[in-house]
Amino acid sequence: MRKRGRDSETVNMIYVTDHSWRLLDSLELRRFILADPGITVKDIMDYRFTAISPFADREEAVRLIQMYDLVAIPVIDSAGVLLGIVTVDDILDIVEEEVTEDFQKTAAVGPLKTSYAYASFWTLYSKRILWLMILILVNLVSSSIIANFEATLASTIALAFFIPLLIDSGGNAGAQSATLMVRAIATGDVKMTRWMATFLKEILVGISLGITMGLASSLLGLFRGGLEIGLVVGISMTAIVLVANLIGAMVPFVLTWFKLDPAVASSPLITTIVDAVGLLIYFTIANAIIGSM
């Protein structure tokens, strides 16, 4: 260790291999220092170690180092041969890159391969225009829904006053839920196997948020348009917030199920989907209530 340690990336961990370079153990330097000088390396080995495959996603290395509080993790092939190590300073670089990439994805921007300062005009344009065009196509659904309910809107013009209020509230609720879920999945806080428990929890949260916001908005509707409008706006707000909350929570699970990055469940994507669903809910409830009175 004294002979080769000066050229090593780290001497905090000592890796024991056989003659074929198969990894046998991973030992902390302090175990050598604190051990009796008269014993052998074999005497302090327990043959237990954490390692990673060279083909594993780099986020797996981050997860293992965080989980086991390691300063380095060995990389071994399928035969157990030690190929190298990943140190904690490498992990810090990876974490910064991954967090930056996730931030960009949640804003519906294609991940930049370089820093913003060195990104060209064409790079910034190309990384943003695709998602913006996709969102335009999704927004056409919202326009079609409004067109289909044109008669309802024309008969009760007060309904138009509350479209921004309802749609923005639903989008905000969905974006909140999606952000929480994307991060929970990314950190391993929520496992794929717990999707049903998460779904039930978000139903309860969505109903509570929806009722609270529904009561507040119904008073505004009552003031601006009377009893019918107040009832429509209150019920619509409750339903939209509930549905938006569930969409925001479940889309990351669906993306993960299909082996896609859950960060793609960006705020613009979620809010655009919720816009269309919210309009459909709003006008359907308005038709049912106003048409029956």
Side-chain angles (χ1 to χ4, degrees):
M1 285 186 281
R2 289 192 180 99
K3 180 180 179 180
R4 301 189 178 185
R6 296 180 186 277
D7 299 322
S8 298
E9 192 171 0
T10 178
V11 293
N12 292 320
M13 300 297 298
I14 310 301
Y15 300 102
V16 185
T17 66
D18 63 14
H19 294 295
S20 300
W21 280 88
R22 283 193 295 269
L23 184 61
L24 301 178
D25 207 346
S26 175
L27 302 172
E28 295 178 344
L29 179 61
R30 66 179 180 179
R31 294 179 66 178
F32 283 82
I33 296 172
L34 298 177
D36 187 333
I39 66 174
T40 65
V41 173
K42 184 176 181 180
D43 294 328
I44 61 174
M45 291 171 57
D46 59 11
Y47 298 91
R48 293 186 300 176
F49 57 86
T50 300
I52 193 169
S53 164
F55 302 106
D57 191 290
R58 61 184 189 173
E59 289 185 350
E60 178 67 9
V62 174
R63 188 186 67 82
L64 290 174
I65 283 184
Q66 288 177 329
M67 179 181 296
Y68 297 107
D69 293 325
L70 303 173
V71 296
I73 185 169
V75 180
I76 60 175
D77 64 12
S78 57
V81 174
L82 179 64
L83 303 178
I85 63 172
V86 179
T87 58
V88 70
D89 57 326
D90 299 325
I91 293 301
L92 292 176
D93 293 336
I94 293 172
V95 169
E96 182 180 4
E97 290 178 20
E98 293 294 336
V99 170
T100 300
E101 183 177 297
D102 286 347
F103 267 117
Q104 291 168 352
K105 286 182 178 178
T106 54
V109 176
L112 300 176
K113 300 302 182 184
T114 184
S115 67
Y116 177 85
Y118 292 100
S120 66
F121 160 78
W122 174 252
T123 298
L124 295 174
Y125 171 81
S126 61
K127 292 295 184 180
R128 297 171 64 179
I129 190 60
L130 177 60
W131 267 110
L132 289 174
M133 295 302 295
I134 291 173
L135 295 175
I136 283 179
L137 294 176
V138 179
N139 275 319
L140 290 176
V141 177
S142 299
S143 301
S144 299
I145 292 173
I146 293 177
N148 288 334
F149 287 95
E150 184 178 358
T152 302
L153 197 56
S155 64
T156 313
I157 196 63
L159 291 173
F161 301 154
F162 300 97
I163 291 178
L165 170 68
L166 294 170
I167 299 309
D168 289 348
S169 297
N172 291 337
Q176 282 184 337
S177 182
T179 300
L180 291 173
M181 205 53 56
V182 167
R183 190 58 186 161
I185 292 174
T187 59
D189 186 35
V190 173
K191 306 296 183 183
M192 286 295 293
T193 53
R194 291 189 54 80
W195 72 269
M196 179 55 75
T198 303
F199 180 77
L200 296 176
K201 179 187 289 187
E202 289 301 321
I203 286 180
L204 180 60
V205 173
I207 290 175
S208 301
L209 293 172
I211 290 175
T212 303
M213 297 172 70
L215 288 174
S217 56
S218 65
L219 294 177
L220 182 60
L222 185 65
F223 175 75
R224 292 294 300 272
L227 178 61
E228 290 182 355
I229 299 299
L231 195 58
V232 169
V233 172
I235 295 175
S236 296
M237 178 66 84
T238 303
I240 289 171
V241 170
L242 170 60
V243 172
N245 198 62
L246 293 178
I247 290 174
M250 291 297 107
V251 167
F253 276 101
V254 174
L255 292 172
T256 304
W257 180 269
F258 285 105
K259 308 299 183 184
L260 298 173
D261 191 338
V264 176
S266 61
S267 295
L269 177 61
I270 294 296
T271 53
T272 304
I273 294 173
V274 170
D275 284 354
V277 176
L279 285 170
L280 184 61
I281 291 173
Y282 181 41
F283 287 120
T284 300
I285 291 175
N287 259 350
I289 293 178
I290 295 176
S292 63
M293 289 186 173

